[in-house]
Amino acid sequence: MQEYFIIIISAVLVNNIVLSQFLGICPFLGVSKKLSASLGMGGAVSFVLIIASFITWVLQTYLLTPLNITYLQTIAFILVIASLVQFVEMVIKKFSPPMYKALGIFLPLITTNCAVLGVAIINIQNEYSLGKVMVHSLSHAAGFTLALLLMSGIRERLEDADIPESMRGTPIALIVAALMSISFLGFSGLT
């Protein structure tokens, strides 16, 4: 039980996929302007990340390793992730057109979101059991969503702030992201 607790705290705070490992920066900066879009993207990435981790673990454990074709790991994992993203995109387009429009180009970019692929590979490298894979993936999904929600909350507040014209938009977003990353490094003991 203690191992699972360590995995959760590590994935959400200490090794946050966005703020500590710097994976998934594109949707983090692109979608974090509005809280609702961030929540939708967090949900979509979480779904893909959790299901992809499960499928890639099964694929690695029961196909790639037994057949000694682990050199196909990256290609196989990307195919799994791309298929899941297409499924998620179709579902969101069908059931929530406003969310589909709000996420825009960032929804198909989940396919190339290195956070999803990174978590799948980390699961294999750490030789986690299926239970640990699911806890680890769920925790990284929560950490990704937490980072998006924190960033969007700050960016929404900055819309009303008196910021010099040259610092509005991307410059202030990058400064906020850097400060958030520095603050999350505190969880790992770095100061």
Side-chain angles (χ1 to χ4, degrees):
M1 188 65 179
Q2 184 179 2
E3 287 181 57
Y4 289 100
F5 182 73
I6 291 170
I7 289 172
I8 293 167
I9 296 300
S10 174
V12 174
L13 299 174
V14 178
N15 294 315
N16 184 286
I17 202 76
V18 176
L19 298 173
S20 295
Q21 296 185 14
F22 309 111
L23 298 173
I25 299 294
C26 181
F28 172 70
L29 291 173
V31 180
S32 62
K33 291 180 183 177
K34 296 290 178 200
L35 197 58
S36 60
S38 293
L39 194 57
M41 178 58 91
V45 168
S46 295
F47 176 80
V48 170
L49 198 149
I50 293 164
I51 302 301
S53 292
F54 172 77
I55 294 172
T56 55
W57 183 86
V58 169
L59 189 65
Q60 180 77 23
T61 304
Y62 296 108
L63 185 67
L64 299 178
T65 301
L67 295 177
N68 200 26
I69 54 172
T70 55
Y71 57 88
L72 295 175
Q73 179 188 61
T74 304
I75 295 168
F77 287 12
I78 289 172
L79 288 173
V80 167
I81 293 166
S83 300
L84 285 169
V85 169
Q86 288 300 309
F87 173 73
V88 168
E89 188 174 4
M90 289 186 304
V91 169
I92 290 176
K93 188 175 184 179
K94 172 98 173 140
F95 293 107
S96 182
M99 179 64 68
Y100 180 78
K101 186 175 180 179
L103 295 176
I105 187 65
F106 296 102
L107 192 56
L109 285 178
I110 296 173
T111 302
T112 59
N113 186 340
C114 52
V116 178
L117 180 61
V119 171
I121 291 173
I122 290 168
N123 288 331
I124 300 304
Q125 286 177 342
N126 290 339
E127 297 179 358
Y128 284 150
S129 65
L130 182 57
K132 287 181 182 177
V133 163
M134 298 314 294
V135 168
H136 185 250
S137 302
L138 181 64
S139 300
H140 270 301
F144 182 85
T145 304
L146 174 67
L148 277 175
L149 293 176
L150 288 173
M151 184 67 163
S152 64
I154 293 169
R155 287 181 80 177
E156 282 186 0
R157 297 282 307 250
L158 286 173
E159 289 293 319
D160 298 329
D162 186 26
I163 299 171
E165 186 67 33
S166 62
M167 293 299 292
R168 291 184 188 203
T170 303
I172 195 70
L174 292 173
I175 291 170
V176 168
L179 291 173
M180 286 175 62
S181 292
I182 291 169
S183 67
F184 268 70
L185 285 175
F187 290 119
S188 66
L190 297 175
T191 55

Coordinates of all heavy atoms in Angstrom, one line a residue, residues 90-102:
M90 N -13.6 11.6 -32.0 CA -14.9 11.3 -32.6 C -16.0 11.5 -31.5 O -17.1 12.0 -31.8 CB -14.9 9.9 -33.2 CG -14.2 9.8 -34.5 SD -14.3 8.3 -35.4 CE -13.8 7.1 -34.1
V91 N -15.7 11.0 -30.3 CA -16.7 11.0 -29.2 C -16.9 12.5 -28.8 O -18.1 12.9 -28.6 CB -16.2 10.2 -28.0 CG1 -17.0 10.4 -26.8 CG2 -16.2 8.7 -28.4
I92 N -15.9 13.2 -28.6 CA -16.1 14.6 -28.2 C -16.8 15.4 -29.3 O -17.7 16.2 -29.0 CB -14.7 15.3 -27.9 CG1 -14.2 14.7 -26.6 CG2 -14.9 16.8 -27.7 CD1 -12.8 15.2 -26.2
K93 N -16.5 15.2 -30.6 CA -17.1 15.9 -31.7 C -18.6 15.6 -31.7 O -19.5 16.4 -31.9 CB -16.5 15.5 -33.0 CG -17.0 16.3 -34.2 CD -16.2 16.0 -35.4 CE -16.6 16.8 -36.6 NZ -15.9 16.5 -37.8
K94 N -19.0 14.3 -31.4 CA -20.4 13.9 -31.4 C -21.2 14.4 -30.2 O -22.3 14.9 -30.4 CB -20.4 12.3 -31.5 CG -21.8 11.7 -31.3 CD -22.4 11.4 -32.6 CE -23.6 10.6 -32.3 NZ -24.6 10.9 -33.3
F95 N -20.6 14.3 -29.0 CA -21.3 14.6 -27.8 C -21.1 16.0 -27.2 O -21.9 16.4 -26.4 CB -21.0 13.5 -26.7 CG -21.5 12.1 -27.1 CD1 -20.6 11.2 -27.5 CD2 -22.9 11.9 -27.1 CE1 -21.1 9.9 -27.9 CE2 -23.4 10.6 -27.5 CZ -22.5 9.6 -27.9
S96 N -20.1 16.7 -27.6 CA -19.8 18.0 -27.1 C -19.2 18.9 -28.1 O -18.0 19.2 -28.0 CB -18.9 17.9 -25.8 OG -18.7 19.2 -25.3
P97 N -19.9 19.3 -29.1 CA -19.3 20.2 -30.2 C -18.7 21.4 -29.6 O -17.6 21.8 -30.2 CB -20.5 20.5 -31.1 CG -21.5 19.3 -30.9 CD -21.3 18.9 -29.5
P98 N -19.2 22.1 -28.6 CA -18.5 23.3 -28.1 C -17.1 22.9 -27.5 O -16.2 23.7 -27.7 CB -19.4 23.8 -27.0 CG -20.8 23.3 -27.3 CD -20.5 21.9 -27.9
M99 N -17.0 21.8 -26.8 CA -15.7 21.4 -26.3 C -14.8 21.0 -27.4 O -13.6 21.4 -27.4 CB -15.9 20.1 -25.4 CG -14.6 19.6 -24.8 SD -13.8 20.8 -23.7 CE -14.9 20.8 -22.4
Y100 N -15.3 20.4 -28.5 CA -14.5 20.0 -29.6 C -14.0 21.3 -30.3 O -12.8 21.4 -30.6 CB -15.4 19.3 -30.6 CG -14.6 18.9 -31.9 CD1 -13.8 17.8 -31.9 CD2 -14.8 19.6 -33.1 CE1 -13.1 17.4 -33.0 CE2 -14.1 19.2 -34.2 CZ -13.3 18.1 -34.2 OH -12.6 17.8 -35.3
K101 N -14.8 22.3 -30.4 CA -14.4 23.6 -31.0 C -13.4 24.3 -30.1 O -12.4 24.9 -30.5 CB -15.6 24.5 -31.2 CG -15.2 25.8 -32.0 CD -16.4 26.6 -32.3 CE -16.0 27.8 -33.1 NZ -17.1 28.7 -33.5
A102 N -13.6 24.3 -28.7 CA -12.7 24.9 -27.8 C -11.3 24.3 -27.8 O -10.3 25.0 -27.7 CB -13.3 24.9 -26.4

